[in-house]
Amino acid sequence: MPKRSFALASAVTQKPQEAVNPDYALRIAASPIEIAHDKIISTVTYNGQFPGPLLRLNESVPVTIDVFNDTDTPEQLHWHGQRVPVDVDGAAEEGTPFIPAHSKRRITFTPGPPGFRFYHTHNRAGANLAAGQYSGQIGPVYIEPRENPGNYDREVFLTLKEFEPTFSRGGDMAQDFLPPVTVKELKDAGERAMKQSLAKGMPHGYEVGYASFAINGRMLGHGEPIRVKQGERVLFHILNGSATEIRSLALPLHSFRVIALDGNPVPNPATVRVLWLGTAERISAIVEMNSPGIWLMGDTDDDDRRHGMGIVVEYAGQKGRPQWVKQVSEKWDYTKFGNKSGPQSNAPNPDAIFDMTFAKDNAAEGGFNRWTINDVAYPMTSAPAPASFHLQQGKRYRVRMRNASDDIHPIHLHRHSFELTRFAGKLTAGIMKDVVMLGGYQEAEVDFVADNPGLTLFHCHQQLHMDFGFMTLFDYV
């Protein structure tokens, strides 16, 4: 793969685009990947590997990437968390051109904002568990900031992902890691709708489970350990690359000092024992290696860890079997990382407010749950849908989200970053993200500035939810 350079980036403006060598090339194709010894699965990947290659870009330096699609299906490649134009973003709903089957598309864009981003397919999968993010089409991106304090010894990138999906009926999503701040009105409405559906003889809607779990494409015990030295400060960049699952991560007898969420520095770095990530969320956290031994770094769920969701951390000079120590539970509260006092502790007033209520129609779409925003499900067809919310450039908008279902929804806004302004009943400010988990029967508020004209997709990042209605569009007027 050609190495990036400032010379290449500047040459893009000096020659016809196709006459310039790309900075990177990504090839979408079905390939076998070995997730454990003698356990090989076939899935669609980037460049024949999982995760896809780490792309290190420079803030505000243009990059040219060739994307080859060797499959039989038109594809979308979404640059998650970046402030890019519609024709690059990688979402058909916004109007991004597909990468045709057995063809190529060249794209050029200016990376930003800096920090940990990623790229992934944005195809809708529906009932096809080999498509969309059920496949292996996920890769990390790190955009180097102009100024990097570098208060760590080295970086480690981890992508958490499940494989071998299957459908099942119903099942409750664990939510006890979130603050228990539910709204009675929402809970009553959601439970009433479910009871009415079941009383009519409807089954519970389909959910997705997995047989294999992996970090960086290898099941626990089947990959190289993370080798560390006592006293090292290791900066972990962690991506939840799941199609549908909430993930946790712990390293016994160590703590994580969270310095960035979704690639954006937090105003109040804080230390936690356990990290929690909704689908598509990223956390950057420093761990001081001060407890020598050989440890299992993995999910706090014993069953998921036994099925592969972990990796060994091995101190230099230590011998023996990797150890796991059960973690003390603690609530995951984003506000811990927000501004704590002074004039920056509250967000500015918005110019306008959008109210959104999310609800579930149990098993209403061929056995799948249909999801609605303000009682409207995004069309299941490929036809373009009109925007439901309208923006004026330069104005600040607040989205008040109310979840009338018992599911956690990782809510994602394309092509913009938003500021979390209320979570679990508490005001906050300064936390910039592009995905936020909204718990069952809970409320949250986020603000964003309309600073990137064009159609803008807003959706739940849980593949099974976005595929069956949980999307809407903003436009600029």
Side-chain angles (χ1 to χ4, degrees):
M1 182 181 296
K3 185 178 180 181
R4 293 197 71 254
S5 71
F6 288 89
L8 272 178
S10 62
V12 172
T13 61
Q14 298 170 7
K15 300 180 181 179
Q17 190 181 45
E18 288 300 320
V20 177
N21 289 330
D23 300 303
Y24 288 105
L26 295 173
R27 189 171 292 275
I28 305 167
S31 59
I33 59 171
E34 185 177 16
I35 61 174
H37 301 312
D38 299 323
K39 188 175 183 62
I40 299 172
I41 64 172
S42 178
T43 187
V44 178
T45 65
Y46 297 117
N47 293 13
Q49 64 183 72
F50 184 87
L54 168 64
L55 306 184
R56 296 200 81 118
L57 313 178
N58 288 302
E59 181 185 5
S60 301
V61 177
V63 62
T64 296
I65 299 175
D66 282 348
V67 185
F68 298 86
N69 180 8
D70 293 345
T71 74
D72 296 329
T73 304
E75 269 291 349
Q76 289 283 358
L77 194 156
H78 172 45
W79 298 97
H80 186 117
Q82 294 206 51
R83 189 179 178 276
V84 292
V86 163
D87 65 336
V88 170
D89 187 48
E93 296 80 9
E94 296 172 342
T96 310
F98 278 93
I99 306 158
H102 302 287
S103 188
K104 178 191 94 170
R105 183 166 186 244
R106 170 166 286 193
I107 57 174
T108 298
F109 62 93
T110 301
F116 188 25
R117 316 289 160 186
F118 75 116
Y119 57 97
H120 63 84
T121 178
H122 211 281
N123 278 15
R124 294 169 78 172
N128 183 359
L129 292 179
Q133 286 194 72
Y134 301 118
S135 73
Q137 294 180 76
I138 298 159
V141 173
Y142 192 80
I143 302 173
E144 303 282 358
R146 294 189 188 94
E147 297 180 4
N148 189 341
N151 192 22
Y152 52 89
D153 297 306
R154 65 189 179 99
E155 298 171 293
V156 174
F157 287 82
L158 301 177
T159 299
L160 318 182
K161 171 73 174 173
E162 308 84 13
F163 295 95
E164 300 179 290
T166 55
F167 286 121
S168 62
R169 286 283 189 187
D172 294 327
M173 182 181 291
Q175 305 196 43
D176 56 353
F177 67 94
L178 292 174
V181 185
T182 58
V183 177
K184 185 177 185 301
E185 173 193 354
L186 296 174
K187 187 174 183 179
D188 289 348
E191 291 183 346
R192 182 168 56 250
M194 177 59 77
K195 288 178 181 177
Q196 290 172 348
S197 174
L198 297 177
K200 295 176 181 177
M202 297 294 287
H204 286 277
Y206 292 118
E207 302 290 352
V208 176
Y210 303 86
S212 300
F213 300 73
I215 294 182
N216 287 352
R218 300 292 285 186
M219 297 175 69
L220 177 61
H222 295 274
E224 288 295 310
I226 300 170
R227 295 183 172 90
V228 301
K229 298 176 181 178
Q230 187 170 357
E232 268 191 317
R233 290 168 55 84
V234 179
L235 174 56
F236 287 95
H237 296 293
I238 301 150
L239 160 65
N240 181 359
S242 177
T244 61
E245 297 295 293
I246 310 297
R247 294 262 63 98
S248 62
L249 193 71
L251 177 58
L253 302 191
H254 296 76
S255 297
F256 298 92
R257 184 164 180 79
V258 176
I259 63 170
L261 296 174
D262 292 347
N264 305 301
V266 296
N268 182 47
T271 299
V272 297
R273 286 286 190 180
V274 179
L275 303 174
W276 289 91
L277 304 94
T279 55
E281 284 192 295
R282 289 91 63 212
I283 295 177
S284 297
I286 293 174
V287 177
E288 294 190 12
M289 295 300 167
N290 53 17
S291 294
I294 301 179
W295 302 105
L296 292 183
M297 183 183 193
D299 200 289
T300 57
D301 183 279
D302 292 340
D303 193 55
D304 289 357
R305 201 173 57 256
R306 281 193 293 266
H307 283 84
M309 189 55 73
I311 191 169
V312 174
V313 174
E314 179 183 291
Y315 276 77
Q318 298 294 308
K319 304 293 182 184
R321 294 177 60 83
Q323 301 297 308
W324 172 259
V325 178
K326 186 174 178 61
Q327 301 301 296
V328 176
S329 62
E330 55 184 347
K331 302 300 181 186
W332 181 254
D333 186 348
Y334 296 110
T335 65
K336 178 181 295 188
F337 310 108
N339 289 317
K340 294 301 180 185
S341 60
Q344 301 302 315
S345 59
N346 290 313
N349 290 327
D351 296 302
I353 297 174
F354 298 120
D355 288 298
M356 296 187 188
T357 299
F358 311 140
K360 174 170 65 178
D361 294 336
N362 176 60
E365 197 69 40
F368 292 91
N369 298 323
R370 179 193 295 128
W371 294 93
T372 62
I373 300 175
N374 293 348
D375 297 321
V376 176
Y378 196 87
M380 305 297 167
T381 67
S382 57
S388 298
F389 301 93
H390 310 291
L391 309 172
Q392 291 183 307
Q393 189 168 0
K395 290 195 173 182
R396 181 183 179 96
Y397 294 90
R398 178 162 296 165
V399 182
R400 289 197 301 217
M401 302 177 291
R402 309 178 80 233
N403 183 4
S405 78
D406 59 354
D407 288 52
I408 298 173
H409 299 299
I411 303 297
H412 174 45
L413 178 66
H414 280 230
R415 306 191 316 107
H416 301 72
S417 296
F418 55 71
E419 182 178 9
L420 186 61
T421 54
R422 182 186 290 270
F423 180 78
K426 293 186 286 188
L427 295 175
T428 189
I431 304 168
M432 303 301 297
K433 292 180 71 24
D434 53 64
V435 178
V436 65
M437 285 186 285
L438 179 60
Y441 307 128
Q442 295 193 2
E443 298 176 320
E445 297 178 6
V446 299
D447 288 12
F448 71 97
V449 176
D451 58 1
N452 196 11
L455 283 173
T456 298
L457 189 62
F458 176 96
H459 65 93
C460 177
H461 214 284
Q462 216 263 40
Q463 182 90 50
L464 199 58
H465 296 179
M466 64 173 279
D467 286 352
F468 290 93
F470 203 143
M471 297 194 288
T472 192
L473 283 165
F474 293 93
D475 67 2
Y476 282 70
V477 296

